[in-house]
Amino acid sequence: LDKETGVSKRAHLAALRERVAVDWCEITFVDDKLNHLESVADLGVRCVLAAWGYNGVREQQGARARGFEVCDLADVESRLFGARA
């Protein structure tokens, strides 16, 4: 989805949810900015910080402190598609 869908990540997720007819808890939102995760967390989506993106140790620590998962390129596949702990 792009900016034609809406300028916010919330608008994108709402459009996605409507298109695929799933509950919020069935959506995993991966982004490289902590503030984007924070802006959608109350929707009930699974929030994952992409550690390979535009963030550093401080943002990664902040994500973990908020209860968000942090994935890097080495573990993203197993963390997103493997069994949850």
Side-chain angles (χ1 to χ4, degrees), residues 9 13 15 20 22 29-30 38 41-42 44-45 47 53 56-58 61 63 65 72-74 76-79 85:
K9 301 297 181 171
L13 289 175
V20 297
V22 297
F29 176 62
V30 180
E38 292 171 331
D42 66 333
V45 299
C47 292
V57 173
R58 186 176 73 187
Q61 290 172 339
D72 58 33
L73 288 175
V76 66
E77 186 175 350
S78 64
R79 299 282 303 275

Side-chain angles (χ1 to χ4, degrees), residues 5-71:
T5 305
V7 296
S8 74
K9 301 297 181 171
R10 290 178 75 88
H12 291 172
L13 289 175
L16 177 66
R17 180 176 177 254
E18 185 176 318
R19 287 181 188 184
V20 297
V22 297
D23 291 330
W24 289 114
C25 64
E26 296 180 77
I27 297 173
T28 297
F29 176 62
V30 180
D31 201 282
D32 62 349
K33 299 301 292 175
L34 177 56
N35 64 320
H36 292 166
L37 300 180
E38 292 171 331
S39 73
V40 302
D42 66 333
L43 296 174
V45 299
R46 176 183 176 200
C47 292
V48 179
L49 184 72
W52 61 87
Y54 294 102
N55 58 64
V57 173
R58 186 176 73 187
E59 242 182 335
Q60 293 170 23
Q61 290 172 339
R64 288 185 181 100
R66 290 280 322 267
F68 303 142
E69 295 177 66
V70 178
C71 291

